[in-house]
Amino acid sequence: QQKVQQSPESLTVSEGAMASLNCTFSDGTSNNFRWYRQHSAKGLEVLVSIFSDGEKEEGRFTAHLNRANLHVSLHIREPQPSDSAVYLCAVKDTNAYKVIFGKGTHLHVLP
Amino acid sequence: EAAVTQSPRNKVAVTGGKVTLSCNQTNNHNNMYWYRQDTGHGLRLIHYSYGAGSTEKGDIPDGYKASRPSQENFSLILELATPSQTSVYFCASGDPQAYSGNTLYFGEGSRLIVV
């Protein structure tokens, strides 16, 4: 089964500075990756989906995928205090019905 | 817009009692999922379903049952609740059929405390 790990566990940035979050996975055959955001133990919302190596941008959120390196990252441009939340990496498992989540990165954006 | 609603949103249960968490989706998605979220563990899959009448075990199914009586509804049942099942439970729906499918749409969560 796919193993998904995220780093760092916690990240503090100043408003306007770039925030970069990392996710590594164990099986490079997956082609279905997403980043979700969760505010204060509420439901998750999808930010960006990426299905092939390279870059995918959705507004201020950009995902970079490198399956050879088993790595997918999320970059948040000009983060705002309202972006303070937990960010979770999700990888579709080889079992088509299962999605495996990382434990999340707590992002704190200081005004 | 996709909508997944869970009930109850908050529940206090007694050890040994029965708890049913309900989930309804209006997305017409085939797949539905139950996760629990705990500090230090992240989101862990309990049960999932790929259509009405089907239920499948996830990664941590012990102590839980699931029921999918219709496309819209998916329930999680704790027959004999234990304090270790104190957690926040999330229901989600998704459609994995398309290549780009499997975006999951989550409910707001159900906070369960077992005393």
Side-chain angles (χ1 to χ4, degrees), chain B residues 14-83:
Chain B
V14 177
T15 297
K18 182 177 181 178
V19 176
T20 300
L21 304 179
S22 300
C23 180
N24 176 274
Q25 56 110 350
T26 59
N27 310 320
N28 197 33
H29 286 154
N30 290 323
N31 285 14
M32 295 186 74
Y33 306 80
W34 276 106
Y35 289 88
R36 63 177 284 178
Q37 187 175 37
D38 305 283
T39 302
H41 291 281
L43 278 167
R44 293 182 289 174
L45 182 63
I46 306 170
H47 283 288
Y48 60 100
S49 166
Y50 49 85
S54 86
T55 60
E56 302 292 332
K57 293 180 179 180
D59 298 321
I60 53 165
D62 293 346
Y64 303 93
K65 292 183 179 179
S67 174
R68 181 86 180 271
S70 65
Q71 179 83 339
E72 298 80 17
N73 295 295
F74 189 38
S75 297
L76 185 68
I77 303 154
L78 291 66
E79 294 279 4
L80 295 169
T82 68

Side-chain angles (χ1 to χ4, degrees), chain A residues 56-111:
Chain A
K56 176 73 178 299
E57 181 177 319
E58 295 284 356
R60 295 184 295 109
F61 303 95
T62 301
H64 291 265
L65 174 62
N66 184 327
R67 282 182 293 170
N69 289 341
L70 304 177
H71 183 258
V72 59
S73 60
L74 177 69
H75 303 274
I76 306 173
R77 179 169 45 86
E78 298 178 357
Q80 302 155 12
S82 59
D83 291 320
S84 296
V86 176
Y87 290 78
L88 294 110
C89 172
V91 181
K92 188 176 176 182
D93 199 22
T94 48
N95 175 328
Y97 298 110
K98 292 178 66 174
V99 175
I100 310 300
F101 286 84
K103 294 181 180 180
T105 292
H106 292 251
L107 176 66
H108 306 276
V109 182
L110 302 177

